[in-house]
Amino acid sequence: MPARPLVLYPDPGLSRPADPVETFGAGLKALVEDVSDTLRAASAIGLTAPHIGVPARVVVIRMSPEERPHCYVNPMLLWTSAGTATHEEGSVSMPGMRERITRPAAVRFGYSDLDGSVHEAEADGFLAAVVQHEIDQLDGIFWIDRLSRLKRERLLKRFSKVRPSMERSFEAGGERLKTGS
């Protein structure tokens, strides 16, 4: 399936909690394929259904281009470590913007697979940061919400300067972005 248009910050869909997936079947599998295809096209590590305008609790993560994407339906954090780690983060919904964010260094999370079977997994290091980042997105917490007010304001100022030229280059390249007000 083709990659879908990305939702661009500050689209209000990025700050709304996603709806739990209740129906497991062909529709969910098609959505996961769309999220996976869009993740590959965007050269992203993680992507949620809200990034493509679908308010469903679906995450696809692929830590490297050689790796098979992993799908997590209705993921939720079950445990976070007391120890923390700081990693650089960004979002396909705010291209070119990156900042360092401190999060728990290790997590345990629950999720369902495409058939609805429930699983638990653990992650540490950068994968733990990616899992938390994507679950935040599903909870309506955009990554910049984790920054101090001063860092967030500086980042938004930089983004406001590059966004118009970025939108023009996407339009010229035939790609589309969904933009919010």
Side-chain angles (χ1 to χ4, degrees), residues 103-163:
R103 297 181 180 271
V107 298
R108 183 172 35 258
F109 61 104
Y111 67 95
S112 295
D113 61 23
L114 288 175
D115 297 321
S117 298
V118 177
H119 303 274
E120 285 188 17
E122 294 185 359
D124 61 9
F126 187 58
L127 177 58
V130 171
V131 167
Q132 292 171 84
H133 176 106
E134 302 305 343
I135 290 175
D136 270 359
Q137 185 62 66
L138 295 177
D139 291 339
I141 302 168
F142 196 61
W143 71 279
I144 64 171
D145 296 336
R146 297 286 182 193
L147 298 173
S148 70
R149 186 173 63 115
L150 179 61
K151 283 186 178 183
R152 186 172 47 252
E153 287 173 359
R154 286 180 179 166
L155 186 131
L156 289 171
K157 188 174 182 178
R158 284 194 334 258
F159 186 60
S160 71
K161 291 178 182 178
V162 300
R163 182 177 170 175

Side-chain angles (χ1 to χ4, degrees), residues 14-120:
L14 296 171
S15 59
R16 274 191 223 111
D19 300 324
V21 172
E22 296 176 358
T23 304
F24 293 79
L28 176 61
K29 288 178 182 173
L31 174 60
V32 168
E33 283 182 39
D34 286 356
V35 174
S36 295
D37 290 345
T38 307
L39 173 123
R40 282 187 203 91
S43 298
I45 292 172
L47 197 68
T48 66
H51 283 113
I52 62 169
V54 179
R57 292 190 69 85
V58 172
V59 172
V60 176
I61 295 174
R62 180 182 70 158
M63 295 299 289
S64 72
E66 303 80 33
E67 185 177 301
R68 179 182 64 79
H70 298 278
C71 174
Y72 305 100
V73 180
N74 297 327
M76 64 170 49
L77 292 176
L78 303 173
W79 170 85
T80 60
S81 66
T84 61
T86 302
H87 299 279
E88 193 171 81
E89 296 187 26
S91 174
V92 296
S93 293
M94 190 179 250
M97 300 295 110
R98 302 190 64 73
E99 190 59 65
R100 296 181 60 75
I101 295 183
T102 301
R103 297 181 180 271
V107 298
R108 183 172 35 258
F109 61 104
Y111 67 95
S112 295
D113 61 23
L114 288 175
D115 297 321
S117 298
V118 177
H119 303 274
E120 285 188 17

